[in-house]
Amino acid sequence: MLHNVLQIIFYFLMVMGSMSSSYNVLDYGAISDGYTDNSQAFLEAWNAACNAETRTPQVVVPEDMTFLVMPVIFEGPCIADKIEFMILGTIVAPSSPGFWFGIDTSQWLVFRGIRGLKVDGFGSIDGQGKGWWDQSCKLHPELEGCTKLAPTALKFLGCNDSGVSNIFFRNSPQAHILTRRCNGFRVDKLMIQSPGYAPNTDGIHIQSSHHLSIINSKISTGDDCISIGDYTSNVEIDNIDCGPGHGISIGSLGRSGNFVQVENIYVTNSRFNGTTNGARIKTWQVGRGYLRTVVFQNLKFINVKNPIIIDQNYCDVRGACKELETGVKISRIIYNAMSGTSSTNIAINLNCSRSVPCSGISMQDIQLASATIGKQVIASCTNADGQEFSVVPGPCLQPKIPI
């Protein structure tokens, strides 16, 4: 009898041991002193976890410690169906752009080709972007040798059924998070923060990805809080605090003249405070293809320059791009239950193409006023048809044409 009990206990311990195991970067030589390169220790911990035959192996970056990590790629696929990367302490980037000499300047931390990845914890990722901003061509065009391309803090490339949550991101040299070729990805409870002047520091950029959710997060940056690129579909964005920044943007789309395929985008229950834009769509005239089935619902605007805006004639230099007969077809766009204040006199601005007009626009229950007491705001719609009910300012849409 005792022998059987011991067998059961031994079996239970074996099963529990096979379910998860932890790989602390300290055990692979990581040193928390602020100047030692820990990229090799992080890679070794990752490779050990990735090749472990346990159910949910876990890489651990311990709390109350700061680790300098050079540009690094964490490769998959991994043996386990799920793998966790727990950031409890702080990961910092090199402070000087010179550390990227001779390597890809577009990236710092990269996860590639992994299924079931979860990046979590209550730690932080600090991109130390000031050195890059100080030599940015956007801020310093007169500077000889200025840089146009700077690292994204955290890239997910081909990571399916994965996600990132609870991390504090700050001061990325360029975009903070990018997903590309990901199918099934969840972003939850993030704080992203960089100065309002920091160039191209999008909070989250989505490219060529499908079935994503971005929820319950606060984003303050020098560019779009969230931006959605080409070949993207089925995206849920909910409960986002955005500001400062350039708003939540679909686009820009079609810059290279490619065939755009973007659809089923839902932006709900979010707030914009002091942003350049609110609910924004921007496409290049040289683009082709479509953007369709987009819902902006239950949004609040506080002192926003362009609360609702479509720019189908987007150009690097405003007014400098000549009118073309091509364009991305924009249709089935719903704006519902929005309120707040505009810092300019045009609160609703739909600037659509004469050759490829916007169609099937729906506006309902929208109340926008000027952020300046005593001033009025207007709505401006060009080449846009649809229907609107209880919209102030308005009306401005052309009668709806069947599509």
Side-chain angles (χ1 to χ4, degrees), residues 275-276 303-307 341-346 369-372 377:
T275 54
T276 306
N303 197 33
V304 173
K305 187 175 181 180
N306 302 297
T341 58
S342 172
S343 62
T344 64
N345 67 319
I346 304 178
S370 175
T372 304
V377 294

Side-chain angles (χ1 to χ4, degrees), residues 27-46:
D27 296 332
Y28 295 85
I31 299 173
S32 174
D33 60 9
Y35 60 85
T36 298
D37 174 13
N38 290 292
S39 53
Q40 187 60 36
F42 273 60
L43 270 178
E44 289 182 12
W46 169 260

Side-chain angles (χ1 to χ4, degrees), residues 263-274:
E263 61 186 330
N264 300 329
I265 311 296
Y266 303 89
V267 181
T268 58
N269 305 312
S270 297
R271 295 149 295 282
F272 303 81
N273 192 343

Side-chain angles (χ1 to χ4, degrees), residues 60-223:
V60 176
V61 180
E63 61 185 328
D64 299 325
M65 293 187 177
T66 299
F67 299 93
L68 174 67
V69 177
M70 298 295 180
V72 65
I73 299 176
F74 301 105
E75 293 274 9
C78 295
I79 292 176
D81 293 334
K82 296 180 180 179
I83 185 168
E84 296 181 350
F85 199 102
M86 300 298 295
I87 302 175
L88 306 176
T90 298
I91 302 174
V92 297
S95 59
S96 170
F99 285 98
W100 273 261
F101 181 77
I103 60 176
D104 187 349
T105 58
S106 75
Q107 57 194 34
W108 171 34
L109 305 174
V110 179
F111 289 95
R112 184 165 64 191
I114 306 156
R115 178 179 292 276
L117 169 66
K118 183 179 181 181
V119 178
D120 199 357
F122 295 93
S124 62
I125 294 177
D126 187 346
Q128 300 209 91
K130 187 178 185 303
W132 291 93
W133 309 333
D134 287 346
Q135 65 180 41
S136 163
C137 292
K138 189 170 185 178
L139 292 185
H140 309 284
E142 76 292 342
L143 181 65
E144 184 177 353
C146 67
T147 55
K148 295 182 179 180
L149 183 64
T152 292
L154 184 57
K155 286 186 176 182
F156 297 92
L157 308 179
C159 294
N160 299 332
D161 302 323
S162 299
V164 55
S165 56
N166 296 309
I167 308 295
F168 176 28
F169 290 81
R170 58 177 176 261
N171 298 331
S172 180
Q174 205 154 300
H176 290 75
I177 298 172
L178 175 142
T179 70
R180 180 180 295 133
R181 301 187 309 278
C182 296
N183 191 351
F185 198 93
R186 181 181 176 88
V187 177
D188 189 11
K189 299 184 182 68
L190 296 188
M191 178 174 287
I192 300 175
Q193 191 174 84
S194 62
Y197 68 83
N200 303 314
T201 50
D202 295 59
I204 302 167
H205 180 66
I206 304 166
Q207 186 78 32
S208 304
S209 296
H210 312 281
H211 302 100
L212 286 85
S213 64
I214 303 172
I215 61 175
N216 306 323
S217 297
K218 181 175 177 56
I219 305 174
S220 307
T221 70
D223 209 306

Side-chain angles (χ1 to χ4, degrees), residues 7-34:
Q7 279 188 320
I8 292 171
I9 293 174
F10 178 77
Y11 176 77
F12 177 78
L13 292 174
M14 288 290 292
V15 170
M16 291 299 292
S18 69
M19 289 178 64
S20 64
S21 52
S22 179
Y23 300 85
N24 192 313
V25 296
L26 292 175
D27 296 332
Y28 295 85
I31 299 173
S32 174
D33 60 9

Side-chain angles (χ1 to χ4, degrees), residues 229-233 250 253 258-264 283 287-294 312 327-333 356:
D230 291 346
Y231 312 114
T232 298
S233 66
I250 301 175
L253 303 176
N258 57 293
F259 190 89
V260 173
Q261 295 174 294
V262 179
E263 61 186 330
N264 300 329
T283 65
R288 299 168 296 118
Y290 59 82
L291 164 65
R292 63 194 183 197
T293 313
V294 177
Q312 211 173 357
V328 177
K329 178 61 180 176
I330 297 175
S331 63
R332 302 201 295 268
I333 313 298
V356 189

